[in-house]
Amino acid sequence: AQTVTQSQPEMSVQEAETVTLSCTYDTSESDYYLFWYKQPPSRQMILVIRQEAYKQQNATENRFSVNFQKAAKSFSLKISDSQLGDAAMYFCAYRSQTLTSGTYKYIFGTGTRLKVLA
Amino acid sequence: DTEVTQTPKHLVMGMTNKKSLKCEQHMGHRAMYWYKQKAKKPPELMFVYSYEKLSINESVPSRFSPECPNSSLLNLHLHALQPEDSALYLCASSQDRARGLGSPLHFGNGTRLTVT
């Protein structure tokens, strides 16, 4: 079974600085997707960035980028020029290959709470 | 604005009540999900519907009963709940069988349920 581990329960970053959130996973599959979701106090889960396993190029979305190390099964999120609005809970998620039912299964890590200091 | 709409936003119910949570999406997604989330924890999968058929039930107690009347709607019927069922209930949808799109989950804002 796949597992997702986020070893940092909480992180702090100064406004305008850069922070990296860690995520590791375990799987025997060769093709899969990885995601980072953000959940602010408003509680809606918002997609931050996605990475397909067979693409070697690291995904980037504006100030958000990932460092995807497939062999090491590592998928870290870098937030550059941190803003107060980045404060939230961040979840790393793994999406398995299609199950026999034709349905994907998403597995979430335990989350990292990011505080942004003014 | 969220593309997945959940109602109600808040619900308080007694252990003998029957209530329903509703979820609606109009993105043409054919997979819909119910998650339960306790405070400071990740979402836990409860049910998945694919093409309006239940495809995953994560051994959820029978006091939770899902229903997918059509491809846009997902309900969660609640009956005889326990206080420990108090949580945030999140609905999500995604494209299914859509390799290459990296179909993420699209979440609603959730229903905050309190069982007294």
Side-chain angles (χ1 to χ4, degrees), chain B residues 25 27-32 49-53 70-71 93-96:
Chain B
Q25 59 88 14
M27 295 179 283
H29 291 172
R30 302 314 298 269
M32 295 187 76
Y49 273 83
S50 178
Y51 290 82
E52 299 155 49
K53 293 185 179 176
N70 60 56
S71 60
S93 69
S94 74
Q95 290 284 7
D96 204 357

Side-chain angles (χ1 to χ4, degrees), chain B residues 34 57 61 71 75 101:
Chain B
W34 279 116
N57 177 342
S71 60
N75 298 321
L101 295 180

Side-chain angles (χ1 to χ4, degrees), chain A residues 44-61:
Chain A
Q44 187 186 6
M45 295 276 281
I46 301 164
L47 176 68
V48 175
I49 200 165
R50 79 189 79 175
Q51 175 80 43
E52 188 163 14
Y54 67 78
K55 288 187 178 178
Q56 293 190 343
Q57 187 173 5
N58 289 325
T60 299
E61 289 285 344

Side-chain angles (χ1 to χ4, degrees), chain A residues 17-53:
Chain A
E17 296 295 310
T18 296
V19 65
T20 299
L21 308 184
S22 301
C23 173
T24 58
Y25 58 94
D26 189 25
T27 184
S28 58
E29 296 176 334
S30 58
D31 192 18
Y32 47 86
Y33 278 89
L34 296 163
F35 304 86
W36 278 98
Y37 280 90
K38 166 185 176 181
Q39 188 176 37
S42 64
R43 78 196 190 196
Q44 187 186 6
M45 295 276 281
I46 301 164
L47 176 68
V48 175
I49 200 165
R50 79 189 79 175
Q51 175 80 43
E52 188 163 14

Side-chain angles (χ1 to χ4, degrees), chain A residues 31 37 39 43 95 102 106, chain B residues 37 55 96 99 103 105 109:
Chain A
D31 192 18
Y37 280 90
Q39 188 176 37
R43 78 196 190 196
R95 195 197 78 180
Y106 296 76
Chain B
Q37 187 179 26
S55 61
D96 204 357
R99 179 178 172 77
S103 50
L105 288 173
N109 282 335

Side-chain angles (χ1 to χ4, degrees), chain A residues 5-106:
Chain A
T5 302
Q6 293 179 250
S7 58
Q8 305 154 317
E10 192 170 292
M11 293 282 286
S12 295
V13 62
Q14 206 69 33
E15 198 175 5
E17 296 295 310
T18 296
V19 65
T20 299
L21 308 184
S22 301
C23 173
T24 58
Y25 58 94
D26 189 25
T27 184
S28 58
E29 296 176 334
S30 58
D31 192 18
Y32 47 86
Y33 278 89
L34 296 163
F35 304 86
W36 278 98
Y37 280 90
K38 166 185 176 181
Q39 188 176 37
S42 64
R43 78 196 190 196
Q44 187 186 6
M45 295 276 281
I46 301 164
L47 176 68
V48 175
I49 200 165
R50 79 189 79 175
Q51 175 80 43
E52 188 163 14
Y54 67 78
K55 288 187 178 178
Q56 293 190 343
Q57 187 173 5
N58 289 325
T60 299
E61 289 285 344
N62 301 316
R63 298 182 295 109
F64 299 88
S65 62
V66 299
N67 183 3
F68 174 50
Q69 302 289 328
K70 190 173 184 179
K73 296 179 182 173
S74 171
F75 182 59
S76 60
L77 175 69
K78 186 171 85 171
I79 306 174
S80 304
D81 185 24
S82 297
Q83 300 175 0
L84 295 176
D86 294 333
M89 194 75 155
Y90 285 81
F91 292 100
C92 177
Y94 172 99
R95 195 197 78 180
S96 66
Q97 295 174 337
T98 309
L99 302 174
T100 53
S101 63
T103 306
Y104 296 118
K105 198 167 184 179
Y106 296 76

